[in-house]
Amino acid sequence: MAQQKAIYEYLRSIDCCRVCCLRFLKGTKEDFVDINAALVKRELEPAYETNGNHNIKKVKENVCVACMGVFDLDHIASLGSEVKDHTSYQRYQCEAGFLTSISLPIVLHLRQLALWVDVLEHFPESFVPGTPPDIPVKDALKTIIIHHLEQTLDKPFSVDGVMVNIPYTYANEQEELRVLELISPGVFANRKAHKHSKKDFITRNAFEKHFTPNGINVERFRKHYTVPPVSAEQVGLERGELTFTGPTVFIAGRYNKFSRELSQTPWVIEGKRLMEGSVQETIVAAIAPYFGVPDEKLIFSSSGREDVDVRCLGEGRPFVLEIPDAMRDVLSEQVAIDMEQQVGISKTVAIRDLQLVKREDLVHIRGDEDKRKFYRALCVTVEPVTEEMIRKLRTDDPFVMQQVTPLRVLHRRALLARPRTVYSLKAFACKQNPHAMVVDIVSQAGTYIKELVHSDFGRTSPSFRSMIGSAIDIHALDVMAIDLDWPRKLRR
């Protein structure tokens, strides 16, 4: 206790604020929430300072040499009300809560380093060599700010909440940082082009890598920078304008595509749009306005994709929309139903089971090569369909084929031979057309079904063509089902 008292009194004597003193005494989270109580408990200040009498005149102190005024508790206390009353914050209708993003100038690291050098020299027995002797400024500041925001906003801290962006700047930062070139010139030997730049003179990562008590020449450091640091001017950090970022929410569902003239995503080649709409745009147009996000900001993902001329039937294809900076983080059942109905008006796309999901749930639609997919193909033959052809295209015994990248996608896919498993085939003759048959196909995800039928000039083997020994092509294809029990079914 006596040693803590000595450290506290020394730091106060060189113009460290009470919070920064507590940082060097390894204050706990509870200590930073109630600074007065922590100092009294440690017998560093008398109990009368916590008597709640706000009429006691405070002694004006110099700007803290460590935090440069960032721990001004009066300013921090008013931050909560400022956030709560901010017009931009009030736009968000989010139940999860809030989180903070605090930006501090790099000059604080320089001052921290000077204090490390100083206290390690004055109190070598109290600190472990090579270990930072204090709690980082940002960690302590976050603890204090979060406590005040939770009380004022009456909402909890949550990584899924609205982010409160709190920037701090220091007008003389670049001038003060220039001393680093004299302290460790080797660090800047290859950065002469940045010598007179006012931006990125040194990055935070570079500072933390090169400027540590063990990584610098302490004598040279003392020669070019004051140890302990001083506040020559009564000018500290300035807090910039508060900004807010809404949470990223994920909305999942299943879609059906009923048109053979509709791409899944916007189809643009060399800057020229080939189709007016897409499945993605139809869905996004119904969902984006509710979350207050421009259509183009939403990110569409799905469990595979079908070609423009392929329909997606059955229970549909699972999809997810990633919505950044969302104004809402809830989706009621009625709102979801309204969105589904709006998409249905298109007559070309339908969606179902619309629901909010967590980021970790996205694993379900990634890397889907192990999933099974069910197709129905209308095939046409040059020769009349025979019972022998039908028999050869009926099997419940899985087989593996090799598919060299199809010619039609070679411009956007690497030239590879991919093994794919076909799990079953069931062919049926068409009574109305002797040159047609319907084949139900169960195959591994990632199979090129059209090439499975006509062989793509032998690039897919075996194929329907090689199996029946006659020319065959595909006239129409439908996706009937996708073996993925996600997202959960909500409404029938």
Side-chain angles (χ1 to χ4, degrees):
M1 190 69 72
Q3 188 69 5
Q4 282 202 3
K5 181 74 170 178
I7 295 172
Y8 180 77
E9 291 180 347
Y10 174 73
L11 291 173
R12 292 293 281 159
S13 73
I14 61 172
D15 284 338
C16 271
C17 69
R18 297 154 76 235
V19 179
C20 284
C21 291
L22 199 54
R23 290 195 300 110
F24 278 91
L25 298 177
K26 299 295 186 179
T28 64
K29 180 179 179 179
E30 291 72 21
D31 288 338
F32 290 117
V33 166
D34 192 337
I35 302 297
N36 291 330
L39 295 176
V40 171
K41 182 179 179 180
R42 292 169 181 252
E43 298 181 4
L44 300 175
E45 290 191 356
Y48 66 79
E49 293 210 13
T50 62
N51 63 8
N53 186 351
H54 299 290
N55 294 322
I56 297 177
K57 187 176 181 180
K58 296 182 179 179
V59 178
K60 183 175 178 59
E61 298 182 352
N62 294 328
V63 175
C64 175
V65 298
C67 72
M68 306 187 76
V70 77
F71 287 117
D72 186 314
L73 297 182
D74 289 336
H75 289 169
I76 293 176
S78 66
L79 179 64
S81 298
E82 187 175 344
V83 170
K84 185 176 183 179
D85 297 335
H86 203 290
T87 304
S88 296
Y89 175 76
Q90 293 175 347
R91 293 167 54 223
Y92 292 95
Q93 301 176 37
C94 298
E95 296 182 356
F98 71 92
L99 70 161
T100 60
S101 174
I102 300 173
S103 174
L104 295 172
I106 298 176
V107 71
L108 290 186
H109 288 279
L110 175 58
R111 290 174 167 266
Q112 180 184 49
L113 178 58
L115 279 169
W116 285 359
V117 170
D118 192 44
V119 298
L120 289 173
E121 181 178 285
H122 278 81
F123 306 97
E125 70 284 359
S126 298
F127 300 101
V128 179
T131 302
D134 63 342
I135 303 296
V137 171
K138 181 174 284 189
D139 291 356
L141 185 60
K142 274 193 172 184
T143 298
I144 297 172
I145 287 179
I146 288 171
H147 172 69
H148 282 285
L149 288 178
E150 284 183 329
Q151 290 187 319
T152 307
L153 302 179
D154 195 26
K155 289 186 176 181
F157 176 85
S158 169
V159 294
D160 297 319
V162 177
M163 181 176 288
V164 183
N165 303 296
I166 312 169
Y168 290 89
T169 59
Y170 179 53
N172 298 328
E173 180 175 35
Q174 295 303 317
E175 179 182 348
E176 192 162 330
L177 290 177
R178 293 293 173 187
V179 72
L180 297 176
E181 284 187 303
L182 302 175
I183 296 170
S184 297
V187 174
F188 301 89
N190 298 321
R191 304 186 63 200
K192 296 301 182 183
H194 297 281
K195 185 173 182 179
H196 300 294
S197 172
K198 290 189 176 181
K199 184 178 181 181
D200 293 337
F201 173 74
I202 186 171
T203 65
R204 196 176 306 276
N205 286 341
F207 188 101
E208 293 175 350
K209 177 181 179 181
H210 297 289
F211 294 92
T212 64
N214 295 329
I216 61 171
N217 183 304
V218 175
E219 290 185 6
R220 187 183 299 131
F221 184 86
R222 285 182 170 277
K223 177 181 178 181
H224 296 291
Y225 194 75
T226 305
V227 177
V230 296
S231 290
E233 303 177 8
Q234 291 297 313
V235 178
L237 301 189
E238 292 185 2
R239 181 163 61 78
E241 182 179 354
L242 295 175
T243 58
F244 304 88
T245 306
T248 296
V249 300
F250 300 88
I251 187 167
R254 290 175 174 265
Y255 77 78
N256 293 113
K257 180 167 88 76
F258 305 121
S259 170
R260 297 194 188 278
E261 297 180 343
L262 187 67
S263 60
Q264 185 194 63
T265 55
W267 194 0
V268 181
I269 297 179
E270 295 181 352
K272 184 177 180 180
R273 187 173 184 121
L274 301 186
M275 289 191 168
E276 288 187 7
S278 66
V279 172
Q280 172 184 324
E281 289 166 301
T282 303
I283 296 173
V284 166
I287 294 175
Y290 172 78
F291 291 98
V293 179
D295 291 12
E296 63 273 15
K297 296 293 185 182
L298 275 65
I299 301 172
F300 178 89
S301 303
S302 65
S303 179
R305 61 189 302 144
E306 63 283 317
D307 290 340
V308 170
D309 58 350
V310 176
R311 297 185 301 179
C312 184
L313 306 178
E315 293 189 343
R317 186 183 298 277
F319 73 91
V320 171
L321 286 175
E322 180 178 342
I323 309 173
D325 195 13
M327 291 293 171
R328 292 184 171 95
D329 61 1
V330 294
L331 180 68
S332 69
E333 181 179 10
Q334 186 56 53
V335 170
I337 292 173
D338 292 343
M339 291 175 176
E340 294 171 359
Q341 292 175 344
Q342 184 177 340
V343 170
I345 293 174
S346 69
K347 304 298 183 183
T348 57
V349 181
I351 58 175
R352 59 186 296 172
D353 299 328
L354 210 57
Q355 58 195 272
L356 291 177
V357 296
K358 297 292 186 181
R359 182 186 294 273
E360 51 266 28
D361 292 333
L362 270 59
V363 67
H364 294 293
I365 62 170
R366 293 172 178 163
D368 64 349
E369 289 189 359
D370 293 333
K371 300 181 180 70
R372 299 188 181 198
K373 298 194 176 180
F374 301 75
Y375 300 88
R376 178 162 291 171
L378 176 61
C379 302
V380 293
T381 58
V382 173
E383 299 178 6
V385 174
T386 65
E387 290 186 6
E388 180 68 8
M389 290 180 182
I390 296 298
R391 185 185 64 79
K392 289 180 177 179
L393 294 181
R394 282 192 173 183
T395 178
D396 289 323
D397 296 326
F399 63 89
V400 177
M401 62 176 178
Q402 296 292 328
Q403 287 198 308
V404 177
T405 305
L407 294 172
R408 64 187 173 93
V409 300
L410 197 53
H411 64 287
R412 57 186 174 87
R413 292 284 189 270
L415 180 59
L416 296 172
R418 299 174 176 86
R420 290 291 184 265
T421 300
V422 176
Y423 298 101
S424 68
L425 297 174
K426 291 184 180 179
F428 305 90
C430 294
K431 294 181 179 179
Q432 298 84 355
N433 188 336
H435 290 270
M437 69 172 80
V438 173
V439 186
D440 286 341
I441 306 161
V442 182
S443 69
Q444 180 183 356
T447 301
Y448 291 101
I449 300 299
K450 294 176 180 177
E451 285 68 25
L452 169 63
V453 174
H454 58 63
S455 89
D456 196 27
F457 302 101
R459 297 164 70 84
T460 291
S461 179
S463 65
F464 288 7
R465 182 184 180 115
S466 67
M467 293 168 74
I468 67 174
S470 178
I472 185 172
D473 206 347
I474 191 164
H475 179 71
L477 180 64
D478 291 333
V479 179
M480 303 304 296
I482 295 169
D483 187 19
L484 176 57
D485 189 21
W486 184 89
R488 62 191 177 95
K489 295 178 177 61
L490 298 179
R491 296 171 288 278
R492 292 292 181 182

